[in-house]
């Protein structure tokens, strides 16, 4: 495989990844805002997002996980854009970044399933976008290796 | 396209990233303002119903009547303020660990201050199962009630909610602190916390709430009509209560 088509491949993957990261970013921004405004919402018997987003696990060192997620998605988006414009190092950083995000998402899914016992649909959307970002990077590595 | 190690235009990706950053800010503002304006817009255009002389009960839009066959709840006593014979009854179902209830607390305190003996205010416990210390907090308030400090303890519990409901907080130690602050006998308080009577009152309130179909907290009834959550503000409640008071005095006048 020539360096040119390799770059082409990275441009496509980077562009795709930046779009997926935008979806995750919008979702995380929504979750961050609802984290701070959830006190305006009455507490309901029906469990779901209210339970997950107000659980002790929704914050890390006083920072809502959703805000950390938004920052992570923004970083992923920036790296993917830089990679789409041909920066190879940024694509490698993107790979490391999404791998960490993917591992962290696994931990969050575990918390929701086993510890909190409730799923929040917007948190699951975030899990899906992270998984797609991770897969995009893995696929790009597999294609590059051929 | 041959070897192209350098980007075609190095400023383009930076511009895209900056545009995305601005878009994120706009999106956050949009989510924030849509979560905020909804309740305000609903009550903004409602006039104060001061001269309301109608004899029919003015039921605000969206309220729903209480079913009559619900259990009566804990016997009225410490959990009631105002006059037991007042023509307007407010009954609040709340969970001490619920953020929205803590926000509603000063509203209720203001309303009680404004109307005094012209209303009857009843507090009902409705601890939700997902809040780990909501039930115990309710026990603490009921236990304080046995020493005549029901409302003082409720103030402590609601205003310090962020402290005792925080993950990893030492609940028992904090509750003992609040009890000491309002001057409770610590031994009697602990005994009442452990005993059945306080819990029986909470369970009776819970049974009443469930019977009435309460599904979220805070839930407020004014003369048996459920007040929508968006109306749990001093101005909206004044309008509703004034309407009820006027209706009641109108009914008395016509009966004379």
């Amino acid at each position: 495989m020539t360096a040119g088509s390799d770059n082409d491949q990275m441009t496509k993957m980077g562009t795709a990844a930046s779009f997926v990261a935008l979806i995750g970013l919008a979702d995380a921004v929504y979750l961050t805002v609802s984290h701070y405004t959830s006190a305006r919402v009455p507490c309901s018997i029906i469990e779901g997002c209210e339970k997950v987003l107000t659980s002790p696990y929704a914050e890390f060192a006083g920072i809502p996980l959703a805000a950390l997620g938004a920052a992570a998605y923004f970083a992923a988006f920036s790296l993917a854009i830089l990679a789409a414009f041909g920066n190879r190092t940024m694509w490698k950083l993107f790979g490391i970044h999404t791998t960490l995000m993917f591992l962290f998402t696994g931990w969050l899914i575990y918390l929701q399933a086993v510890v909190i016992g409730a799923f929040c649909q917007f948190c699951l959307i975030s899990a899906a976008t992270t998984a797609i970002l991770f897969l995009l990077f893995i696929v790009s590595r597999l294609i590059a290796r051929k | 396209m041959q070897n192209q190690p350098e980007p075609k235009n190095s400023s383009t990706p930076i511009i895209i990233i900056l545009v995305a950053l601005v878009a994120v800010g706009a999106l956050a503002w949009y989510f924030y303002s849509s979560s905020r304006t909804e309740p305000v817009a609903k009550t903004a255009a409602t006039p104060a119903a001061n001269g309301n002389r109608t004899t029919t009960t003015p039921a605000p839009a969206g309220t729903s009547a209480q079913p009559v066959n619900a259990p009566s709840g804990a016997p009225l006593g410490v959990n009631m303020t105002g006059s037991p014979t007042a023509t307007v009854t407010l009954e609040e179902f709340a969970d001490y660990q619920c953020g929205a209830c803590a926000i509603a607390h000063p509203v209720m305190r203001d309303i009680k201050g404004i109307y005094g003996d012209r209303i009857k205010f009843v507090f009902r416990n409705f601890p939700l199962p997902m809040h780990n210390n909501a039930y115990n907090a309710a026990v603490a308030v009921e236990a304080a009630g046995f020493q005549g400090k029901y409302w003082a303890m409720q103030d402590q519990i609601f205003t310090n909610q962020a402290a005792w409901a925080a993950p990893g907080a030492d609940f028992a130690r904090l509750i003992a602190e609040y009890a000491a602050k309002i001057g409770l006998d610590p031994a009697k308080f602990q005994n009442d916390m452990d005993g059945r009577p306080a819990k029986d009152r909470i369970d009776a309130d819970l049974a009443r709430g469930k019977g009435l179909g309460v599904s979220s907290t805070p839930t407020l009834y004014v003369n048996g009509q459920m007040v929508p959550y968006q109306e749990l503000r001093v101005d909206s409640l004044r309008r509703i209560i004034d309407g009820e008071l006027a209706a009641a005095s109108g009914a008395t006048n016509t009966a004379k």
Side-chain angles (χ1 to χ4, degrees):
Chain A
M1 196 171 244
T2 66
S5 66
D6 216 23
N7 267 352
D8 263 7
Q9 188 260 117
M10 200 172 70
T11 302
K12 280 180 197 149
M13 286 296 187
T15 310
S18 62
F19 277 109
V20 176
L22 276 185
I23 297 170
L25 181 56
D27 184 54
V29 167
Y30 172 78
L31 286 174
T32 307
V33 172
S34 45
H35 180 93
Y36 284 114
T37 55
S38 64
R40 298 170 194 279
V41 179
C43 303
S44 171
I45 286 178
I46 304 135
E47 299 173 336
C49 275
E50 195 264 340
K51 179 169 179 181
V52 176
L53 292 174
T54 57
S55 86
Y57 300 100
E59 286 192 359
F60 179 78
I63 305 162
L65 283 189
L68 292 176
Y73 277 115
F74 187 74
F77 169 78
S78 304
L79 294 171
I81 283 287
L82 291 167
F85 278 83
N87 195 323
R88 206 160 277 285
T89 317
M90 293 303 163
W91 189 238
K92 276 183 191 142
L93 284 175
F94 173 86
I96 297 166
H97 184 67
T98 47
T99 305
L100 292 174
M101 280 175 79
F102 187 66
L103 292 174
F104 194 68
T105 294
W107 165 245
L108 294 182
I109 293 275
Y110 162 80
L111 282 181
Q112 288 182 66
V114 180
V115 182
I116 307 172
F119 282 101
C120 147
Q121 64 268 38
F122 289 102
C123 311
L124 293 178
I125 290 174
S126 177
T129 52
T130 298
I132 293 169
L133 289 180
F134 179 69
L135 282 177
L136 279 173
F137 181 74
I138 295 296
V139 168
S140 87
R141 298 308 290 177
L142 290 176
I143 293 171
R145 194 171 287 182
K146 271 178 195 166
Chain B
M1 215 197 276
Q2 277 300 317
N3 288 348
Q4 232 176 7
E6 285 307 308
K8 302 144 218 173
N9 187 345
S10 59
S11 65
T12 313
I14 305 297
I15 290 168
I16 294 174
I17 290 166
L18 287 177
V19 167
L21 193 60
V22 172
V24 165
L27 194 66
W29 177 251
Y30 170 76
F31 287 143
Y32 176 71
S33 53
S34 62
S35 78
R36 187 183 185 133
T37 51
E38 220 170 274
V40 179
K42 260 190 169 174
T43 48
T46 47
N50 290 339
N52 193 341
R53 306 289 293 172
T54 49
T55 46
T56 50
T57 309
T63 55
S64 52
Q66 256 179 2
V68 280
N69 55 352
S72 57
L76 291 181
V78 287
N79 61 335
M80 191 196 82
T81 59
S83 161
T85 55
T87 51
V88 178
T89 300
L90 275 71
E91 188 174 18
E92 181 197 12
F93 288 83
D95 168 324
Y96 288 114
Q97 204 171 341
C98 163
C101 299
I103 289 175
H105 177 61
V107 174
M108 297 304 159
R109 207 170 39 196
D110 287 354
I111 289 294
K112 283 186 264 184
I114 291 166
Y115 290 96
D117 278 350
R118 288 188 290 157
I119 61 166
K120 172 172 136 187
F121 181 90
V122 179
F123 182 88
R124 295 286 184 199
N125 294 294
F126 203 73
L128 295 165
M130 65 202 176
H131 293 145
N132 62 335
N133 273 323
Y135 192 91
N136 292 332
V139 173
V141 174
E142 291 292 343
F146 293 134
Q147 296 185 47
K149 296 284 174 76
Y150 188 91
W151 302 106
M153 191 54 148
Q154 182 176 87
D155 273 345
Q156 291 292 323
I157 294 285
F158 268 139
T159 50
N160 295 305
Q161 187 191 65
W164 62 261
D170 188 345
F171 180 77
R173 186 183 60 79
L174 288 170
I175 292 298
E177 248 173 48
Y178 307 148
K181 204 191 276 180
I182 58 171
L184 293 181
D185 170 354
K188 174 161 171 53
F189 177 65
Q190 193 52 53
N191 197 41
D192 289 334
M193 283 275 292
D194 297 338
R196 232 9 271 179
K199 295 178 184 97
D200 286 342
R201 289 187 60 86
I202 298 162
D203 295 344
D205 282 352
L206 266 170
R208 173 164 174 77
K210 282 173 187 157
L212 293 173
V214 172
S215 65
S216 65
T217 56
T219 290
L220 179 73
Y221 291 95
V222 175
N223 278 354
Q225 301 279 331
M226 196 186 93
V227 178
Y229 176 69
Q230 293 81 1
E231 309 268 329
L232 295 186
R233 300 138 37 95
V234 173
D235 56 348
S236 302
L237 288 176
R238 286 188 70 160
R239 176 178 51 79
I240 293 167
I241 295 166
D242 287 344
E244 290 289 329
L245 285 170
S249 70
T252 333
N253 287 347
T254 31
K256 270 176 193 168

